Amino acid sequence: MDIKTLKSFITVAKHKSFSEAARELHTVQPAISRHISALEAELEVRLFNRNSRDVVITPAGEQLLTDASAILTLTDKAKSQVKRAHSGKVGTLNIAHLSSACLSFMATLIRTYKSQFPEVHVSLFEMTATEQIEAFKQDKIDIAFSRPLPTPIADEFIRHDIYIDKLVALVSQSHALAGAKQVELAKLKTEQFIIFNRDEALGLFDETIILCKQAGFSPDIISQPKHMQTLVTEVAAGLGVAIAPFCVSKLYSRGCHFIALENVDTQIPLQIQFKQNNHSATVHAFLNVALAAKSEIQRSMAS
């Protein structure tokens, strides 16, 4: 019992005619007769009573008609679902992101994606860079928006820069430098520093220490928060100053002043990342949407 034979059977039942069935299926009547005879032989029942003028479906044929129609409907649905899955139109997508780096554009990006792929279930996870790497190891996420990966694992991933950020100084609005537009890092050498936790952002922590040493001092570190919002809040409270990517200005930063750093040209890329061996159509469809939005994201992060 195959799909082609069932289609012949259903078409004969619809037209109550072998010749009409052959015409609809663009074949010849003997081929339709062979299909029905083979089906009756396989099932060991008569499906139609026929004479020179009439073709009448039997009770056994009525039962097969119900089941065969359901089988063809499921077959058509399966074909459609396979094609939709192949084009990334169905499935699930787990996306991790750095909130401070993605806050201004993530909702818009997801809305744009969902407008094109409404049947894909999207889950968002706010994670630090370290948490994202661990989540990738456990296959808990498909895509990450994060900082450049550590060299030992970088080749395991496909990566695209979304925008390039810069480092700035953060001081409270009551700080003596709050009115400044630019500052030399050396002028902060007597300050107490709030630096993002090294375990969560190895590169940022080390880069801050290097820049301070190049400016002639070692920072007096009083706090190493694990969340950027905490860092911004501590600065706003006057607990110390910080060096951080400019994107943190998109967080709740009332009470903070952001100052450009003179002679510091460190680039802080935000990348979209996924595993080399992840060939999911949903992942690649989302990647295309994200890359198409790059210019708009870059404009939003520069303002």
Side-chain angles (χ1 to χ4, degrees):
M1 191 188 307
D2 57 32
I3 298 300
K4 188 174 183 180
T5 301
L6 289 178
K7 282 185 177 178
S8 294
F9 166 73
I10 290 172
T11 308
V12 171
K14 179 174 74 172
H15 292 288
K16 298 180 180 179
S17 166
F18 281 65
S19 58
E20 288 296 323
R23 189 173 294 111
E24 178 176 325
L25 296 176
H26 306 290
T27 187
V28 294
Q29 184 173 332
I32 299 296
S33 296
R34 285 196 300 273
H35 288 166
I36 301 305
S37 295
L39 199 54
E40 289 178 329
E42 179 181 352
L43 297 174
E44 298 180 346
V45 297
R46 180 173 289 278
L47 299 172
F48 296 103
N49 291 318
R50 47 221 187 247
N51 54 43
S52 59
R53 290 185 300 177
D54 297 313
V55 175
V56 180
I57 194 167
T58 65
E62 291 282 7
Q63 180 59 54
L64 180 61
L65 181 61
T66 299
D67 294 336
S69 298
I71 289 170
L72 261 61
T73 297
L74 286 173
T75 300
D76 290 341
K77 182 179 180 181
K79 290 179 180 178
S80 175
Q81 290 292 84
V82 166
K83 290 178 180 179
R84 289 164 67 79
H86 179 70
S87 60
K89 292 183 178 179
V90 294
T92 61
L93 198 58
N94 296 321
I95 303 171
H97 66 288
L98 303 173
S99 61
S100 59
C102 305
L103 185 65
S104 67
F105 69 82
M106 185 57 68
T108 300
L109 180 60
I110 298 301
R111 278 198 303 271
T112 300
Y113 172 73
K114 286 288 287 182
S115 70
Q116 299 177 39
F117 300 91
E119 294 184 46
V120 175
H121 179 76
V122 176
S123 296
L124 286 175
F125 302 91
E126 180 182 336
M127 293 181 179
T128 64
T130 301
E131 289 171 339
Q132 290 180 12
I133 291 171
E134 187 59 32
F136 270 129
K137 289 179 181 178
Q138 299 178 20
D139 292 324
K140 291 183 176 180
I141 59 174
D142 303 301
I143 291 174
F145 286 85
S146 192
R147 301 305 182 193
L149 292 154
T151 301
I153 65 169
D155 289 344
E156 299 174 21
F157 292 81
I158 293 174
R159 307 158 335 258
H160 296 274
D161 288 350
I162 297 299
Y163 70 88
I164 307 297
D165 208 348
K166 60 185 178 182
L167 289 177
V168 295
L170 284 69
V171 301
S172 71
Q173 288 188 347
S174 61
H175 194 279
L177 293 171
K181 292 184 177 180
Q182 284 191 323
V183 65
E184 291 182 0
L185 190 52
K187 290 186 177 181
L188 301 176
K189 65 182 180 180
T190 61
E191 302 286 346
Q192 293 181 314
F193 272 76
I194 300 164
I195 300 183
F196 196 60
N197 193 280
R198 190 174 190 272
D199 289 340
E200 306 303 333
L202 176 64
L204 177 60
F205 185 97
D206 289 352
E207 179 67 12
T208 302
I209 299 300
I210 291 170
L211 289 172
C212 289
K213 286 184 176 181
Q214 290 174 348
F217 69 98
S218 293
D220 176 15
I221 303 172
I222 62 162
S223 178
Q224 295 186 51
K226 291 190 174 184
H227 299 280
M228 277 295 185
Q229 183 62 68
T230 304
L231 179 144
V232 173
T233 302
E234 289 184 354
V235 171
L239 301 182
V241 302
I243 304 297
F246 180 66
C247 66
V248 302
S249 64
K250 305 298 182 180
L251 299 173
Y252 183 77
S253 57
R254 184 176 179 180
C256 274
H257 182 66
F258 299 86
I259 311 173
L261 289 168
E262 293 181 16
N263 302 316
V264 173
D265 56 4
T266 302
Q267 294 190 332
I268 312 292
L270 178 81
Q271 298 181 334
I272 185 170
Q273 306 161 347
F274 60 95
K275 285 184 175 181
Q276 288 269 11
N277 61 5
N278 188 338
H279 303 296
S280 165
T282 55
V283 166
H284 289 274
F286 183 84
L287 174 66
N288 290 336
V289 172
L291 294 181
K294 267 182 64 171
S295 296
E296 182 59 35
I297 291 171
Q298 290 168 359
R299 283 192 292 269
S300 74
M301 295 308 299
S303 59

